[in-house]
Amino acid sequence: MITLALSKGRIFEETLPLLAKAGIVPLEEPEKSRKLIIATNRPDVRIIIVRATDVPTYVQHGAADLGVAGKDVLIEHSGAGLYQPIDLNIAKCRLCVAVKEGFDYQTAVKHGARLRVATKYVESAREHFARRGVHVDLIKLYGSMELAPLVGLADAIVDLVSTGATLKANKLVEVEDICEISSRLVVNQAALKMKYETLQPIIDVFAQAVEA
Ligand code: ATP
Ligand code: MG
């Protein structure tokens, strides 16, 4: 049995066409069904539905043989024990620094002020500000980062942005790009050895589909 870990929403939706090319079709939609284990047309392949941030954990421990995880999640997780053969070029966005409209970020940074930064991406943020030589107090949040500068919890946030509509709706502006984000295929290294004959063809089809 091959177990593939996916998160609901954009990762599931954007992985579907790649799975189809490998001849794998889920028999249920996670948005409609409450099931966390979804069978596919292939009796030897099943999909488990987990939180986006939990995908590397399931794969690392071998509870899933492979999965799809955002680079944002992989940076925070460290990715130890995970083989990351392919950038799938899906769920694309970027990690950036944003502040409230009217907050003079460049001046604050130049004057060496200690910046309060709220984020779910503590590791990425720590690395970014260290590289920039900016002193920060990081405040860990688990969602709705946009709110933090509006209610005085933080001066800035580090968050994922694609269109910028959410920032705009909350009167925030992007002041710095940190990195481009897309999702990668992650594979358990031991599983790849043990189940090479079933796993490698799936990896190959994904790789071809991405190149095409
Ligand atoms: P949860 O909602 O369970 O807290 P999450 O918000 O990280 O987790 P998703 O919103 O499904 O889950 O995001 C999954 C992945 O998709 C992220 O890890 C990231 O790589 C990518 N992603 C997040 N936001 C966007 C976006 N606005 N546009 C494109 N890709 C995104
Ligand atoms: Mg989300």
Side-chain angles (χ1 to χ4, degrees):
M1 176 64 81
I2 298 288
T3 302
L4 168 66
L6 295 177
S7 52
K8 261 197 240 189
R10 56 173 66 87
I11 297 230
F12 185 88
E13 299 304 327
E14 296 187 34
T15 304
L16 275 182
L18 299 171
L19 283 174
K21 290 200 170 132
I24 300 167
V25 181
L27 298 183
E28 274 178 286
E29 291 174 44
E31 303 294 346
K32 291 190 185 147
S33 147
R34 286 165 182 263
K35 283 189 195 158
L36 298 176
I37 301 181
I38 295 184
T40 72
N41 62 321
R42 268 179 57 174
D44 63 334
V45 179
R46 63 178 183 175
I47 297 171
I48 60 171
I49 302 298
V50 304
R51 286 291 290 265
T53 41
D54 292 334
V55 167
T57 307
Y58 278 85
V59 176
Q60 184 177 36
H61 292 275
D65 300 299
L66 70 176
V68 176
K71 191 177 153 198
D72 51 319
V73 166
L74 291 167
I75 293 170
E76 297 299 312
H77 186 271
S78 91
L82 295 177
Y83 173 51
Q84 300 181 24
I86 315 165
D87 184 344
L88 298 174
N89 218 13
I90 61 170
K92 287 170 77 165
C93 52
R94 59 191 191 280
L95 194 63
C96 74
V97 183
V99 300
K100 205 159 76 169
E101 273 176 23
F103 179 83
D104 190 349
Y105 175 76
Q106 300 306 341
T107 302
V109 164
K110 213 184 298 160
H111 292 166
R114 239 188 136 74
L115 217 61
R116 289 169 310 149
V117 179
T119 186
K120 184 171 159 185
Y121 308 99
V122 172
E123 293 310 319
S124 305
R126 196 192 315 284
E127 196 188 301
H128 172 72
F129 291 110
R131 218 184 310 126
R132 287 274 277 106
V134 177
H135 295 289
V136 291
D137 288 320
L138 294 171
I139 301 168
K140 169 82 183 184
L141 289 179
Y142 293 87
S144 302
M145 264 82 81
E146 296 85 3
L147 185 60
L150 305 181
V151 295
L153 177 66
D155 305 307
I157 60 171
V158 166
D159 198 4
L160 296 176
V161 178
S162 51
T163 62
T166 309
L167 290 183
K168 204 166 175 200
N170 289 293
K171 296 194 161 41
L172 300 177
V173 287
E174 195 179 328
V175 287
E176 222 160 56
D177 250 341
I178 300 181
C179 64
E180 299 292 318
I181 299 287
S182 55
S183 285
R184 306 191 68 99
L185 187 66
V186 293
V187 185
N188 178 280
Q189 285 172 341
L192 185 58
K193 288 197 192 110
M194 306 282 288
K195 303 182 184 178
Y196 185 83
E197 275 163 33
T198 15
L199 275 179
Q200 192 58 49
I202 297 175
I203 298 171
D204 289 343
V205 171
F206 272 47
Q208 282 158 16
V210 172
E211 272 171 38

